[in-house]
Amino acid sequence: MALMDFIKKQFIDIIQWTEEGDGTLAWRFPMAGMEIQNGGTLVVRESQMAIFVNEGQVADVFGPGTYKLTTQTLPVLTYLKNWDKLFESPFKSDVYFFSTRQQIDQKWGTPQPITIRDKDFGAVRLRAFGNYAFRIADPKAFHTEISGTRESYPVADLEGQLRGLVLQNISNAIAGSGLPFLDLAANQVKFAEAMVKELAPIFAKLGILIESLTVQNVSLPEELQKILDQKIGMGMVGNDMAKFMQYQTAQAIPKFAEASGGGGGIAGDAMGLGAGVALGQVLAQNLQQGLQTPVAPAAAAAAQAAAAPVGVKPEEVMATLEKLGELKSKGILTQEEFDAKKAELLKKLV
């Protein structure tokens, strides 16, 4: 009886993998010198695949299901071992299981700014990060290229390699998309789609399917971020340059008001007046185009404040005239406006 028990232990009737936890991509069934019973059962659960390997050569591949192991269900192994169709003896073969579940929330990111080429800006340095999800789609390729004969292969051993592939191909993804970098940076969904398109064939060579990829953040240099903000502002007004200039003018008025309030004396008033005149000209043009704006009273208030009578000293008048001259040279004041203000200041000296 003991001899019969010993013989039975040498044969495997059921081959299956019950995953005990997350994070395992490949697992080798423990044979320990035993043989597989001809007519035995192979159980492949949902989200699993299995392969039979004969002397290092991948034979038959099985998807989810329950299989009776015979020469009919193992045609490749039968061919490799040169079995007769009526072969019914126990046999040896390595069996590997693979988890085909999605491996989600895999992080990627640029530890240092990377330089990419863009048709609009030439070289651009950026930081970006996000996450992605993948699954094993081709267990034969994954076994050949990645996991090999190891007893198990965890996700952690693959993370660094995949993250490196993502970072390596960011520049190629942007160039291959044919879209300017600013358009991609403003639309992170398009950015992610361009990266998936670039990465899909690279991952496929490893037997991996990239299911999704997200770009959670793109950090740009300050000067490029300002350009992006302006582009977004243009989009808000329908790329209408007149309306965009009106928007820019409205944004600039508080800054001019601060400058005129902090200048002190006639010089500060004159700076405020010059700004008010220039802004008034822009606003007048916008009004002629049918654009309404609430900032005209502010410009008028600035002009009234500048015209208020104050006691002046000759040196203040000279300083004011010099500043007015600078405004005229920069095109902010016209010659007529400069002459009028000059005459007004000289009268105060009489």
Side-chain angles (χ1 to χ4, degrees), residues 3-65:
L3 179 62
M4 293 301 297
D5 292 340
F6 173 78
I7 294 175
K8 289 181 179 179
K9 290 181 181 178
Q10 307 310 301
F11 306 113
I12 301 171
D13 291 330
I14 299 177
I15 301 175
Q16 61 182 339
W17 178 30
T18 303
E19 299 180 60
E20 297 180 355
D22 297 330
T24 301
L25 293 173
W27 179 76
R28 185 178 68 193
F29 187 87
M31 292 296 181
M34 296 184 291
E35 294 184 347
I36 301 172
Q37 178 68 53
N38 194 296
T41 302
L42 171 68
V43 179
V44 183
R45 291 175 169 79
E46 289 294 334
S47 74
Q48 291 181 356
M49 295 186 75
I51 63 172
F52 279 68
V53 178
N54 177 60
E55 297 179 355
Q57 186 173 359
V58 177
D60 300 279
V61 180
F62 294 87

Side-chain angles (χ1 to χ4, degrees), residues 26 28 49-63 73-81 92-98 136-150 206-207:
R28 185 178 68 193
M49 295 186 75
I51 63 172
F52 279 68
V53 178
N54 177 60
E55 297 179 355
Q57 186 173 359
V58 177
D60 300 279
V61 180
F62 294 87
T73 54
L74 294 167
V76 179
L77 189 63
T78 298
Y79 171 79
L80 293 176
K81 289 184 173 291
K92 287 186 177 182
S93 177
D94 291 323
V95 182
Y96 295 86
F97 287 85
F98 299 85
I136 294 177
D138 184 348
K140 182 177 180 179
F142 188 83
H143 172 79
T144 303
E145 300 292 336
I146 302 295
S147 60
T149 59
R150 291 173 53 171
L206 305 178

Side-chain angles (χ1 to χ4, degrees), residues 265-276 306 320 323-324 327 333 341 345:
I266 293 179
D269 291 341
M271 290 292 289
L273 175 62
T320 302
K323 291 187 176 293
L324 289 173
L327 293 174
L333 291 178
K341 187 61 181 177
L345 290 172

Side-chain angles (χ1 to χ4, degrees), residues 270 273-278 281 323-339 341:
L273 175 62
V277 170
Q281 291 174 344
K323 291 187 176 293
L324 289 173
E326 293 177 3
L327 293 174
K328 180 174 71 69
S329 65
K330 294 179 181 179
I332 297 177
L333 291 178
T334 65
Q335 182 65 47
E336 291 77 10
E337 292 167 343
F338 173 78
D339 291 340
K341 187 61 181 177

Side-chain angles (χ1 to χ4, degrees), residues 82-230:
N82 197 27
W83 287 338
D84 184 86
K85 291 183 179 181
L86 300 178
F87 177 82
E88 294 183 354
S89 301
F91 59 92
K92 287 186 177 182
S93 177
D94 291 323
V95 182
Y96 295 86
F97 287 85
F98 299 85
S99 172
T100 58
R101 289 185 298 163
Q102 283 197 48
Q103 306 300 322
I104 61 174
D105 198 25
Q106 305 298 306
K107 308 294 185 183
W108 68 270
T110 54
Q112 301 294 331
I114 62 172
T115 302
I116 64 170
R117 287 194 171 276
D118 180 68
K119 62 182 181 181
D120 290 341
F121 299 99
V124 176
R125 289 174 61 80
L126 65 86
R127 288 177 182 267
F129 66 84
N131 59 18
Y132 65 96
F134 72 91
R135 72 166 77 238
I136 294 177
D138 184 348
K140 182 177 180 179
F142 188 83
H143 172 79
T144 303
E145 300 292 336
I146 302 295
S147 60
T149 59
R150 291 173 53 171
E151 291 184 3
S152 66
Y153 194 94
V155 175
D157 286 3
L158 190 61
E159 286 177 346
Q161 175 68 16
L162 297 185
R163 187 182 303 115
L165 289 175
V166 173
L167 299 182
Q168 178 183 338
N169 287 276
I170 289 179
S171 182
N172 292 339
I174 294 174
S177 70
L179 296 173
F181 172 73
L182 280 183
D183 290 343
L184 289 176
N187 189 330
Q188 294 179 353
V189 173
K190 286 186 178 180
F191 198 166
E193 290 174 351
M195 291 184 63
V196 169
K197 183 178 180 181
E198 183 70 22
L199 291 169
I202 300 172
F203 277 41
K205 292 179 180 179
L206 305 178
I208 296 171
L209 173 66
I210 182 167
E211 288 285 355
S212 63
L213 184 144
T214 65
V215 179
Q216 296 176 343
N217 181 268
V218 178
S219 301
L220 307 176
E222 184 178 355
E223 60 274 13
L224 189 57
Q225 185 63 54
K226 291 179 179 179
I227 296 174
L228 179 58
D229 291 342
Q230 289 182 346

